């Protein structure tokens, strides 16, 4: 028998379950369909487990240098089984939390593979959801007034570079039972650099091969340059302007692959290869062909309120491309639900979204880069302040990096804030709020930052925009 709902959400990741909670708050009868575990990629194969491993790597690296702080240790070692065990406990605790939130919101959760049906006996419009239940029970039929597609993404691979054996994506890497002695990371974007940082801190010999002329190419050039310098400082071999040649892959006790580097073919050998070349949307097998929903370049096309060509079917998160970030998916889900409920939400301004890289050092940014500002025709002025001038950074023993602010010389508006250094992923929200409030560097500079804190670097960088930095 078919069950009717105000809203059915396909996918229980960060975007999907947050949308379900908001729908419940607004009084919509809601069901959520998830083929795996609630929490999706972020909780089980992305944000949380990778950050747990990064934290263990950071503690290990710091402990090896504890003598710098006057603390003497001996025989420091890594028990990777315990590292993975700790990661698992964190994921389990958060998973139980999401399950509790679903019960608290009286959200019906269907564990299985959901597919959108075309017009049928259940509804004259496409949108009925058939759920192939994981427990083998008869398919559940859900008849919603509205649907949100939040099926997420999976790691992308390179044609000819098949996953298996010594070749893996981040999914397989998270399940590793031991740290490889050496690894080649194909791709120097956010995920690639996080893995490079983590594995290097754990003691692996790491080589990063990046197609672009610089690592983390979506970040400000000065951030990329500093990240490359600091990765090399910790022993990571970085090769840029390099095109990997999948047909040269050889597997055995070790694995090797060649790349064309500035016109010259070079071979690289290691114990493992990690392919980190972005993510592709999960659009297959969910019944899109039974609708008029458009898919372009592998992503579902949606408007500013996340409606597809079928106005009662919405799509959010990685499946629509754009900024493939968990916090973006969550806010897209909230906007979609509020639009369904007639709440008249404001569309998302993606220039206000903070982006973070959780490597060591961390990097974070909001707004546009200096180059992007110039391309848009702005006359820019910038301010930069090094953590070497910040007392708290010296106390931490982490004084590499800086804060950079890009502003419009004519209006004095902040266009972008870019950071690299200690704990900047926790500091970027101040810059994000400044962007939301359309603040000027003067207003940020006149926010009294407590001393000693790392956040003083933001105030000093804001002063530096007009050549008034106190400690620089």
């Amino acid at each position: 028998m078919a069950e009717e709902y105000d809203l059915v959400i396909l996918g229980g990741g960060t975007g999907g379950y947050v949308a379900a909670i908001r729908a419940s708050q607004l009084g919509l009868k809601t069901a959520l369909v998830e083929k795996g575990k609630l929490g999706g990629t972020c909780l089980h194969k992305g944000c949380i487990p990778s950050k747990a491993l990064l934290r263990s790597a950071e503690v290990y690296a710091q402990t090896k240098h504890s003598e710098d702080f006057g603390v003497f240790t001996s025989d420091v070692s890594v028990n990777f089984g315990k590292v993975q065990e700790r990661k698992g406990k964190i994921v389990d605790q958060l998973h139980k939390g999401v399950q509790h939130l679903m019960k608290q919101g009286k959200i019906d959760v269907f564990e299985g593979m959901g597919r959108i049906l075309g017009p049928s006996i259940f509804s004259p419009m496409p949108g009925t959801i058939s759920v192939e239940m994981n427990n083998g029970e008869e398919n559940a039929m859900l008849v919603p007034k509205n649907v949100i597609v939040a099926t997420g993404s999976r790691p992308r691979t390179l044609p000819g570079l098949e996953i298996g054996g010594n070749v893996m994506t981040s999914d397989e890497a998270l399940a590793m039972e031991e740290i490889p002695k050496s690894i080649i990371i194909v791709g120097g974007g956010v995920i690639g650099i996080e893995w490079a940082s983590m594995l290097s801190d754990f003691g692996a010999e790491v080589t990063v091969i990046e197609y672009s002329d610089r690592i983390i190419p979506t970040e400000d050039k000065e951030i990329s340059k500093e990240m490359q310098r600091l990765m090399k400082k910790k022993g990571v071999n970085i090769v840029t302007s390099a095109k990997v040649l999948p047909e040269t892959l050889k597997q055995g006790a070790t694995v090797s692959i060649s790349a064309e580097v500035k016109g010259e073919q070079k071979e690289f050998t290691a114990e493992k290869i990690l392919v980190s070349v972005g993510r592709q949307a999960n659009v297959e097998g969910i019944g899109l062909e039974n609708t008029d929903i458009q898919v372009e370049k592998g992503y579902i096309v949606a408007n500013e309120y996340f409606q597809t060509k079928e106005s009662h079917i919405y799509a959010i998160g990685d499946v629509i491309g754009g900024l493939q970030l968990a916090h973006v998916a969550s806010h897209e889900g909230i906007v979609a639900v509020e639009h369904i409920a007639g709440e008249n939400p404001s569309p998302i301004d993606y220039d206000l979204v903070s982006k973070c890289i959780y490597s060591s050092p961390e990097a974070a940014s909001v707004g546009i880069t200096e180059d992007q500002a110039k391309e848009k025709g702005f006359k820019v002025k910038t301010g930069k302040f090094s953590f070497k001038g910040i007392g708290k950074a010296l106390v931490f023993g982490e004084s590499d990096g800086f804060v950079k602010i890009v502003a419009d010389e004519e209006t004095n508006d902040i266009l972008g804030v870019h950071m690299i250094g200690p704990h900047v992923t926790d500091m970027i929200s101040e810059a994000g709020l400044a962007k939301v409030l359309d603040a000027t560097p003067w207003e940020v500079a006149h926010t009294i930052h407590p001393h000693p804190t790392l956040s003083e670097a933001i105030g000093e960088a804001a002063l530096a925009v007009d050549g008034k930095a106190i400690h620089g």
Side-chain angles (χ1 to χ4, degrees):
M1 181 179 171
E3 191 158 358
E4 295 185 357
Y5 288 92
D6 295 315
L7 174 64
V8 171
I9 300 167
L10 282 184
T14 314
Y17 85 72
V18 167
I21 292 168
R22 185 68 185 118
S24 170
Q25 291 172 344
L26 291 170
L28 301 180
K29 185 183 178 185
T30 304
L32 189 149
V33 181
E34 171 54 52
K35 69 173 183 178
K37 290 183 176 180
L38 284 173
T41 293
C42 180
L43 178 52
H44 299 283
K45 292 183 177 181
C47 325
I48 299 302
S50 66
K51 300 329 166 253
L53 296 184
L54 277 158
R55 176 59 179 152
S56 290
E58 179 185 37
V59 170
Y60 177 56
Q62 286 183 337
T63 306
K64 285 195 296 183
H65 296 98
S66 66
E67 290 182 14
D68 296 345
F69 297 85
V71 178
F72 290 80
T73 57
S74 59
D75 300 324
V76 180
S77 61
V78 175
N79 182 328
F80 200 62
K82 288 286 185 185
V83 170
Q84 289 283 33
E85 186 181 317
R86 177 177 183 271
K87 177 200 79 177
K89 285 179 180 176
I90 293 168
V91 170
D92 287 344
Q93 182 177 336
L94 291 170
H95 181 222
K96 286 173 184 172
V98 177
Q99 289 174 316
H100 171 72
L101 290 170
M102 296 300 100
K103 289 176 183 173
Q104 183 176 279
K106 296 182 172 55
I107 297 155
D108 293 340
V109 177
F110 291 82
E111 297 179 357
M113 179 69 189
R115 291 180 180 82
I116 303 170
L117 302 181
S120 65
I121 57 170
F122 301 106
S123 171
M125 297 190 302
T128 296
I129 306 296
S130 172
V131 185
E132 185 181 333
M133 302 296 288
N134 290 346
N135 59 13
E137 290 182 3
E138 184 181 346
N139 282 20
M141 287 292 175
L142 315 180
V143 184
K145 294 174 184 173
N146 295 278
V147 175
I148 294 178
V149 178
T151 47
S153 64
R154 62 189 184 277
R156 190 183 296 279
T157 58
L158 290 175
L161 192 54
E162 301 305 319
I163 304 304
N166 294 326
V167 182
M168 57 187 176
T169 68
S170 56
D171 282 2
E172 293 78 26
L174 283 168
M176 287 190 296
E177 295 180 357
E178 57 185 28
I179 301 159
K181 291 182 176 63
S182 57
I183 191 163
I184 298 162
I185 299 178
V186 179
V190 174
I191 297 172
I193 290 304
E194 287 185 353
W195 277 98
S197 174
M198 175 210 305
L199 293 170
S200 176
D201 281 348
F202 273 137
E205 185 181 304
V206 179
T207 296
V208 175
I209 302 175
E210 167 57 35
Y211 181 77
S212 179
D213 62 355
R214 59 190 175 102
I215 58 171
I216 49 172
T218 57
E219 297 299 317
D220 189 271
K221 275 185 181 174
E222 289 190 83
I223 299 290
S224 290
K225 186 179 178 181
E226 180 74 348
M227 181 67 81
Q228 184 155 324
R229 183 182 77 82
L230 296 174
M231 285 292 115
K232 286 183 175 179
K233 184 178 174 182
K234 67 164 66 186
V236 177
N237 178 31
I238 293 177
V239 184
T240 55
S241 301
K243 182 183 179 182
V244 167
L245 306 171
E247 66 274 13
T248 64
L249 178 69
K250 297 174 191 169
Q251 291 208 57
T254 58
V255 60
S256 69
I257 196 163
S258 294
E260 188 180 303
V261 185
K262 296 169 184 172
E264 183 184 346
Q265 188 165 319
K266 294 185 178 179
E267 186 178 61
F268 302 88
T269 302
E271 196 175 295
K272 301 274 187 185
I273 290 180
L274 172 62
V275 182
S276 180
V277 291
R279 299 183 66 84
Q280 66 187 87
N282 294 323
V283 294
E284 309 88 354
I286 57 173
L288 297 183
E289 66 279 3
N290 299 322
T291 72
D292 288 333
I293 292 173
Q294 290 178 290
V295 176
E296 289 182 5
K297 297 180 180 177
Y299 297 105
I300 293 175
V301 177
N303 68 13
E304 61 186 351
Y305 298 109
F306 309 107
Q307 288 172 292
T308 67
K309 199 171 179 185
E310 301 276 5
S311 60
H312 63 295
I313 302 179
Y314 293 65
I316 63 166
D318 287 7
V319 81
I320 63 171
L323 291 176
Q324 293 182 309
L325 302 168
H327 47 290
V328 170
S330 296
H331 279 268
E332 289 173 347
I334 290 168
V335 169
V337 167
E338 291 181 351
H339 190 259
I340 287 167
E343 294 282 306
N344 195 29
S346 298
I348 294 174
D349 179 350
Y350 290 94
D351 278 346
L352 303 181
V353 174
S354 297
K355 299 176 289 180
C356 298
I357 304 173
Y358 298 89
S359 50
S360 178
E362 295 184 343
S365 63
V366 64
I368 57 178
T369 67
E370 183 177 353
D371 283 350
Q372 287 169 339
K374 288 174 180 175
E375 286 166 11
K376 289 175 181 282
F378 289 104
K379 189 175 181 183
V380 303
K381 55 181 180 177
T382 65
K384 197 163 83 168
F385 197 84
S386 170
F387 280 105
K388 285 183 170 57
I390 300 297
K392 186 69 174 286
L394 295 173
V395 169
F396 271 4
E398 298 176 39
S399 58
D400 284 316
F402 56 84
V403 174
K404 175 180 178 179
I405 296 178
V406 181
D408 181 350
E409 193 171 296
E410 293 178 3
T411 65
N412 215 30
D413 289 338
I414 291 174
L415 301 174
V417 180
H418 310 275
M419 309 179 184
I420 181 167
H423 300 275
V424 296
T425 61
D426 296 310
M427 291 164 53
I428 194 63
S429 292
E430 178 185 340
L433 180 60
K435 282 285 292 171
V436 168
L437 297 177
D438 203 19
T440 65
W442 182 91
E443 289 167 314
V444 172
H446 281 75
T447 300
I448 298 177
H449 293 82
H451 175 76
T453 62
L454 296 172
S455 69
E456 289 177 273
I458 300 173
E460 290 278 11
L463 285 168
V465 171
D466 294 310
K468 297 177 182 177
I470 299 298
H471 294 91

